Amino acid sequence: MFLKHFKRASLSIGLAVALAGTAGAETVLRVGNMGEPATLDPHHVAGTWENRIIGDMFMGLTTEGPDGSVVPGAAESWTISDDGLTYTFKLRDHSWSDGTPVSADDFVFALRRILSPELAAKYASLLYPIKNAEEINNASVADLSQLGVRAVDAKTLEITLVAPTPYFIEQLTHYTAFPVPKHLVEQHGDDWIKKGTIASNGAYMLDEWVPNTHVRLVKNDGFYDAANVTIDKVEFFPSEDRGAVQKRFRSGEIDIAKDFASEQFDFLKKNLPDETRVAPYLGIYYYPVNTNKPPFDDKRVRQALSMAIDREAITDKVLKTGEVPAYSFVPPGTGNYGDPAFVDWMDVPYKERVAKAKALLAEAGYGPDNPVKLTLSYNTSENHKRIAIAVAAMWKQLGVQAELFNQEVTPHYNKLEQNDFDVARAGWIADYNDAQNFLYLLETRTGRQNYGRYSNAQFDDYMAKAANTTDMDKRAQYLRSAEAIAMEDQPVIPIYYYVSKNLVSNSVVGWEPNVKDIQRTRYLSIKP
């Protein structure tokens, strides 16, 4: 341990000497972030574009390493009880950016806050493994002190779970488990996130947020590892116009673009081969269907819509960037799972599937004289638009009349969360590498992120059984049985399994691809 610290200290001294001639020069990282954040409050965000900003500002008990792996964060160490239910964390000595020490009370306060029903946090259900979390969140338990979280002392936090949860340590890297500064939230309420008031415990803190223009963060000199953070400022630009962002990247105006239009892939490979980065990504691109709304409350209609989509045509002819056609909701290779439960018609030739889809619609009472009419909603992106146009053409074979509707990312997802749509585009990137993180989206209790409000008692029962067994093989079987039910019911239509698509300047050092596509700025540097 001492040797490791000695080497890092020596490196920092050497770097300081080497850069002495350029003292005062600021190092700035500019990121094309592909979305305007709804807020910077960790308890009210839900998107990958928000996570990139929030994750630079705040640090949970555990955090991501340079390669996306789980490493100690605000907690320098922890122990787990023999029964797998009690986690005891020792917090490292570190402070909020306003100088106030971070304490175990901040974590207790934050976890009670996000689970309180009054806050209506979008992502609260992710924390249901904690004892009494679900009961508090659904208001069946009113006393927040009953949550399985307590401060043993200022630097010791104890969390008790309902059942052993193999992914819990990784789950704590997620922003739902980030601390918030108790002293500021109690004093300022929702205004705590405003510039001049907000404090963060991560490598960066807020400098400026101009809506629809940029979010600028500056280095937090009080961060516990600030000596090894070399980038002084990071600017996140929200534009969802992939073509425009690509032009800015090529002109040197931004250093990282977090996506690019698929039709540009061949050009980019030829002209920017080193900067074009495509890698496996643990996520699913899918269409949720509103099961609350006729005719989509009829399973046969949902099945027909799914069968008629030629996924291979979308991945091979529309996208052409390595995406894999999806016939399950859980991507293959997900941890602790094995093979997912694919739809039973996966290997049926496409023409036969279309014929079966027509028959299902006819059986449900729809045809040329009574066509299914729907609105297909998607958020702004060249790729989303091209896929929606292709899918609408495929559905036209069935006599389905699909009207396309486009919005920016925040209002689009607001509509989904409010269950105000017919069929819509959505994407899900794993918060932790476990099948449960995909399937829980379809549980009745999940609420707003179960966009189509799917509810199946047998599905819920299998998910409950999986949550309450310590046998990993049985747990995988329960989860797979749940997925099989969902793939029969088709409340969601899987389209393809993601790959991450980034443009990364050769001047950026330390950027590593990983299945979660998370690269925190604290680990990066810029070559002069």
Side-chain angles (χ1 to χ4, degrees), residues 504-523:
V504 183
S505 169
N506 288 329
S507 66
V508 177
V509 179
W511 192 96
E512 295 188 37
N514 58 78
V515 295
K516 293 173 70 175
D517 195 33
I518 290 178
Q519 299 87 16
R520 298 304 185 197
T521 305
R522 62 179 284 203
Y523 302 117

Side-chain angles (χ1 to χ4, degrees), residues 105-118:
D105 277 334
D106 288 314
F107 282 91
V108 174
F109 176 80
L111 291 169
R112 289 178 179 177
R113 177 179 184 257
I114 191 172
L115 286 162
S116 63
E118 294 78 17

Side-chain angles (χ1 to χ4, degrees), residues 33 35-40 45 49-50 53 209 212 215 236 238 409-410:
N33 198 36
E36 172 71 12
T39 177
L40 297 181
V45 297
W49 61 97
E50 293 159 330
I53 304 171
W209 179 9
N212 299 306
V215 175
F236 295 92
V409 65
T410 297

Side-chain angles (χ1 to χ4, degrees), residues 205-220:
M205 55 188 183
L206 179 65
D207 179 51
E208 182 178 65
W209 179 9
V210 180
N212 299 306
T213 303
H214 66 260
V215 175
R216 181 189 302 126
L217 308 182
V218 294
K219 181 178 174 180
N220 175 12

Side-chain angles (χ1 to χ4, degrees), residues 450-464:
N450 180 350
Y451 301 131
R453 303 299 189 264
Y454 174 62
S455 182
N456 182 302
Q458 191 177 8
F459 177 93
D460 291 344
D461 182 57
Y462 277 124
M463 293 298 291

Side-chain angles (χ1 to χ4, degrees), residues 426-447:
W428 186 258
I429 308 304
D431 302 307
Y432 41 90
N433 189 3
D434 193 277
Q436 185 272 350
N437 188 229
F438 293 90
L439 296 175
Y440 100 100
L441 292 171
L442 302 178
E443 288 187 75
T444 303
R445 67 180 185 170
T446 295

